[in-house]
Amino acid sequence: MDLLSRMAVIEVGRALRDSDLLDKQTNKLHTAKIVGLVAATRWGSLITDLAFCETLSQGPELASPTIFSYTLPNIALAEAASHFGLTGPVYSIFAKDNPFEEARQEALRWLSCQPEISAMVSGQLDIPPSFEEGAGPVARFHVV
């Protein structure tokens, strides 16, 4: 599992646990509630894409199929959703100015339009392509 996915699993789990939505025995949702997950990102899966390109530069036959499977920004969220048994909408959006707030607003839109959804986990998930960007990795989630 790539770093972005590991960050997502840990922080989504923390948000679910802090909201008392996880069964302590199974680490899955308490009930059959429909819970979705949305994260905003500035860089998407770029760090993983670059790692894949590095393996590709050694020749197409040496390109890593394992890394390739994580080269979409929504894969990290799918890993977290699968891990905790989330069955609502799961996707990633790009946001430049305030990713955490934009994800929260998107979650609120889902909740207002789809009454069968019990809750949405929303947040920001990012790893900049280099620390020269002035920021480090970010994984923050909360339940809306």
Side-chain angles (χ1 to χ4, degrees):
M1 191 181 296
D2 72 325
L3 178 58
L4 202 61
S5 297
R6 288 179 288 179
M7 289 169 43
V9 169
I10 290 167
E11 293 304 321
V12 167
R14 183 172 293 141
L16 291 167
R17 186 194 64 223
D18 290 350
S19 295
D20 200 32
L21 290 172
L22 287 183
D23 180 286
K24 289 181 178 34
Q25 302 294 336
T26 64
N27 233 13
K28 303 285 184 200
L29 292 179
H30 276 302
T31 64
K33 290 183 179 183
I34 297 174
V35 177
L37 172 60
V38 61
T41 180
R42 288 187 173 112
W43 295 284
S45 60
L46 181 57
I47 195 78
T48 305
D49 301 347
L50 293 171
F52 175 73
C53 287
E54 192 65 31
T55 69
L56 189 59
S57 70
Q58 300 165 15
E61 64 282 351
L62 296 176
S64 171
T66 303
I67 295 174
F68 179 75
S69 66
Y70 290 97
T71 58
L72 294 173
N74 62 323
I75 297 300
L77 302 178
E79 288 280 5
S82 175
H83 189 82
F84 298 108
L86 306 183
T87 58
V90 176
Y91 64 101
S92 182
I93 60 175
F94 282 90
K96 182 179 178 184
D97 296 325
N98 191 345
F100 189 78
E101 180 58 23
E102 289 193 37
R104 189 179 80 78
Q105 291 299 321
E106 183 69 12
L108 290 171
R109 279 190 286 278
W110 272 100
L111 292 169
S112 69
C113 295
Q114 301 289 325
E116 67 275 8
I117 299 174
S118 303
M120 290 286 292
V121 180
S122 72
Q124 179 181 358
L125 184 62
D126 266 319
I127 301 176
S130 76
F131 289 106
E132 295 170 12
E133 301 287 338
V138 176
R140 305 189 295 160
F141 290 90
H142 70 285
V143 175
V144 178

